[in-house]
Amino acid sequence: MTIRLFNTLTRKIEDFKPLQPGKMGFYTCGPTVYWDAHIGNMRTMVNSDIIKRVFIENGYDVNHVMNFTDVGHLTSDADSGEDKMEKGAARDNISVWDVAKKYIDGFLYDMDLLNNIRPTHMPRATDHIAEQINQVKKLEELGYTYEIPGDGVYYDTSKFAAYGALGGQNLSELRGGARIDDSGKRNSTDFALWKFSPTDAKRQMEWDSPWGIGFPGWHIECSAMSMKYLGQHFDLHVGGQEHAKVHHSNEIAQSEPIVGAPWVSYWMHFEWLMLKEGKMSKSDGTSYTVRNLVERGYDPMAYRYLLLQSHYRQPLEFSFESLNSAATGYKNIVRKIADLMNSDNIGKMDSDVYNTWHDRILAPASDNFKTAESLVVLQELLKDTTVNPATKLVLFEFVDRLLGLQFIDRAKKLIALEQEAAPDDIVELAQRRAAAKAAKDWATADSLCAEIDAAGWTVLDGKDGYKIVKKV
Ligand code: AMP
Ligand code: ZN
């Protein structure tokens, strides 16, 4: 089916048209690996994963690139402030290279917990210094750069007429609004392409370049690495909403003089995960990682389920209450699937019924990624008694491919847990309970039942006797 998406560039929902038939290439601005990515960062990664899954289910061959920002760029968009990687190294008392490794490993671990398909390519900025230098050289040849002695090579945004269009900004407003400081920049919107190392100190990360020893500006890494792995023009570029105004506007300004406009066909921006008090912040101790949620006893799928109940263009307020109710909702679906698997009369898969429900579930997801609406259709499917269990189960295999919620896996685990044989002492208690019931000694039967329950087991009475199952 046709995929529709909200394009930040035009501020409209558009039908997606690939540059090459049957193929889709896209780039996600990945994490700065100086600290653990929190569940807010991971919302952005789940959104990227959903985009990929929707395109795959619609028959596209997807090439997904996500970078690791491991060069210590400076903490503010204004190319000033502290270096995040060096800050991380001082905090953890290890080298910047070890900081990058530690947090890349942690990030990938959390990506796997959330069942995000790994991107096709995950380039690191430090492995692509030559590509970044090449692009700066091209921009210099084309006359877009100037040097601030002792500081770095800067991009002159006044040379790029369309600057700021992505963020919906007007150039004169942008330039007029912010006062030019004494940094030596020609325009307040200008940004660094290459920063010089300080003359009085040695940085842990620095490279030689035609302009002097230093390190690349942050924005150039995404232009260089996206083009290397996706080609000079590609379909879609995504990232958190804050990137539209500065980072992505700068990426466009760098790339279009080199390759011609439009560089990228569609841009998508994701709203943030918020807390009632505001932004989730690592330094205030108000951020959690996916691993923290697991430590608190949550299935990462409960968090994924919570995310998919909202739309990516809406901010989502996180609380443990909302996570609890998502966890309950998720478990209810898993219970129902396990019951379908256990049912005596599974029936045969009906292709016509399958196709109808398949399209009903895929349609909202393909319409600007309305996953919450797909989840509503799922509930309807579970309730519909005219669809036999076999067809429902095959539909849930499709749902797992589309939404990555691992329903089938969790239902199988639930059944395995329930089928686990009860230990001898529980079997004995259950036998005594059955005897008490036969003797109509309800008080003893009830107290034995409570004892079994307290040990984590349940006795289920059926017409052919009783079953002992583990509580989950
Ligand atoms: P960073 O490591 O800060 O560069 O962020 C990595 C990605 O996560 C970027 O695409 C950010 O836009 C995104 N991001 C940062 N904070 C949040 C948040 N609270 N909710 C959703 N996405 C976020
Ligand atoms: Zn980027």
Side-chain angles (χ1 to χ4, degrees):
M1 53 184 75
T2 303
I3 298 178
R4 283 152 47 85
L5 49 84
F6 182 87
N7 186 0
T8 314
L9 208 51
T10 56
R11 282 175 184 70
K12 275 202 226 102
I13 303 232
E14 295 178 18
D15 287 355
F16 175 81
K17 295 196 182 68
L19 287 172
Q20 284 178 52
K23 296 199 169 174
M24 199 285 263
F26 81 118
Y27 186 90
T28 304
C29 286
T32 308
V33 287
Y34 73 111
W35 217 346
D36 279 318
H38 56 57
I39 55 174
N41 302 127
M42 286 324 228
R43 183 184 188 202
T44 284
M45 301 309 151
V46 170
N47 285 333
S48 291
D49 187 59
I50 289 292
I51 291 174
K52 174 162 43 185
R53 287 172 181 271
V54 168
F55 273 92
I56 292 172
E57 286 309 310
N58 277 290
Y60 283 87
D61 176 6
V62 177
N63 184 4
H64 179 207
V65 180
M66 185 211 67
N67 66 305
F68 284 119
T69 298
D70 60 348
V71 172
H73 63 74
L74 304 173
T75 37
S76 88
D77 277 329
D79 298 306
S80 56
E82 287 175 286
D83 176 317
K84 284 189 189 176
M85 295 298 291
E86 301 255 356
K87 215 172 138 181
R91 183 192 59 232
D92 291 2
N93 202 18
I94 49 180
S95 76
V96 282
W97 301 98
D98 289 341
V99 167
K101 182 176 182 334
K102 177 174 169 185
Y103 294 107
I104 286 175
D105 288 350
F107 177 85
L108 292 176
Y109 188 85
D110 286 359
M111 285 280 277
D112 292 348
L113 283 177
L114 284 172
N115 196 31
N116 287 337
I117 301 170
R118 294 248 179 128
T120 326
H121 301 280
M122 294 187 281
R124 290 173 61 159
T126 52
D127 289 335
H128 296 81
I129 300 296
E131 287 84 347
Q132 296 175 70
I133 290 176
N134 271 339
Q135 289 203 338
V136 181
K137 273 205 239 166
K138 280 192 194 130
L139 289 169
E140 188 177 43
E141 281 158 27
L142 294 166
Y144 283 85
T145 67
Y146 62 94
E147 194 171 316
I148 302 180
D151 178 339
V153 178
Y154 278 76
Y155 184 99
D156 184 345
T157 51
S158 68
K159 299 267 166 73
F160 187 67
Y163 186 81
L166 185 70
Q169 300 163 104
N170 164 310
L171 249 194
S172 56
E173 258 172 48
L174 268 175
R175 301 243 169 75
R179 279 211 353 252
I180 304 285
D181 47 32
D182 55 7
S183 64
K185 287 206 261 182
R186 292 184 187 163
N187 312 281
S188 59
T189 44
D190 293 355
F191 55 91
L193 294 165
W194 188 263
K195 289 280 280 182
F196 300 137
S197 288
T199 42
D200 55 348
K202 186 159 168 53
R203 287 172 49 85
Q204 290 189 54
M205 278 181 176
E206 58 182 17
W207 296 266
D208 205 2
S209 82
W211 312 278
I213 292 179
F215 58 104
W218 167 37
H219 315 291
I220 197 75
E221 73 176 69
C222 288
S223 293
M225 294 192 285
S226 59
M227 286 187 212
K228 173 156 183 185
Y229 295 97
L230 292 164
Q232 293 209 327
H233 296 272
F234 56 93
D235 296 298
L236 173 67
H237 195 314
V238 305
Q241 47 91 349
E242 81 282 13
H243 288 335
K245 279 198 161 71
V246 180
H247 179 51
H248 290 165
S249 292
N250 293 353
E251 280 189 43
I252 292 174
Q254 292 163 158
S255 305
E256 294 199 341
I258 298 174
V259 301
W263 168 48
V264 171
S265 309
Y266 305 91
W267 290 82
M268 283 173 66
H269 292 93
F270 308 134
E271 282 299 329
W272 279 14
L273 185 79
M274 301 297 290
L275 295 169
K276 207 150 123 220
E277 312 80 62
K279 202 168 166 278
M280 191 168 275
S281 150
K282 287 172 197 169
S283 41
D284 294 350
T286 53
S287 77
Y288 307 96
T289 62
V290 180
R291 273 162 285 164
N292 294 149
L293 299 185
V294 173
E295 282 152 21
R296 288 172 176 237
Y298 292 98
D299 183 338
M301 286 305 103
Y303 178 59
R304 188 172 175 105
Y305 186 63
L306 173 73
L307 293 180
L308 300 192
Q309 284 174 315
S310 72
H311 192 251
Y312 77 89
R313 292 197 64 223
Q314 295 296 327
L316 173 64
E317 192 180 295
F318 176 82
S319 69
F320 280 99
E321 290 77 55
S322 58
L323 183 59
N324 287 340
S325 60
T328 307
Y330 181 76
K331 276 190 198 155
N332 285 341
I333 299 179
V334 170
R335 171 78 269 159
K336 286 180 185 147
I337 296 169
D339 291 345
L340 289 171
M341 288 171 166
N342 281 334
S343 57
D344 299 331
N345 194 1
I346 289 226
K348 267 175 70 185
M349 215 277 277
D350 182 324
S351 312
D352 289 341
V353 176
Y354 174 87
N355 288 337
T356 306
W357 283 92
H358 170 279
D359 289 358
R360 283 196 61 197
I361 294 164
L362 185 57
S366 305
D367 181 12
N368 201 22
F369 312 99
K370 293 181 185 131
T371 50
E373 291 184 20
S374 297
L375 292 175
V376 171
V377 182
L378 280 195
Q379 297 286 0
E380 244 184 82
L381 169 67
L382 283 168
K383 281 196 202 114
D384 192 331
T385 49
T386 66
V387 185
N388 67 27
T391 310
K392 284 185 183 173
L393 289 172
V394 185
L395 277 162
F396 268 92
E397 282 172 15
F398 152 68
V399 166
D400 277 346
R401 287 199 308 272
L402 179 69
L403 302 178
L405 281 164
Q406 298 184 303
F407 284 126
I408 298 280
D409 170 76
R410 296 303 195 267
K412 283 186 180 158
K413 287 193 172 130
L414 178 62
I415 291 173
L417 267 178
E418 289 176 345
Q419 283 174 349
E420 199 182 301
D424 291 349
D425 54 334
I426 303 291
V427 173
E428 199 206 312
L429 289 175
Q431 283 165 348
R432 279 169 50 202
R433 173 185 170 271
K437 269 183 73 182
K440 297 196 164 33
D441 178 0
W442 307 119
T444 308
D446 282 351
S447 88
L448 286 163
C449 199
E451 221 180 301
I452 294 167
D453 190 77
W457 296 81
T458 307
V459 184
L460 299 175
D461 292 313
K463 55 182 186 320
D464 305 322
Y466 62 85
K467 257 194 331 201
I468 314 170
V469 295
K470 191 155 192 186
K471 286 202 303 184
V472 282

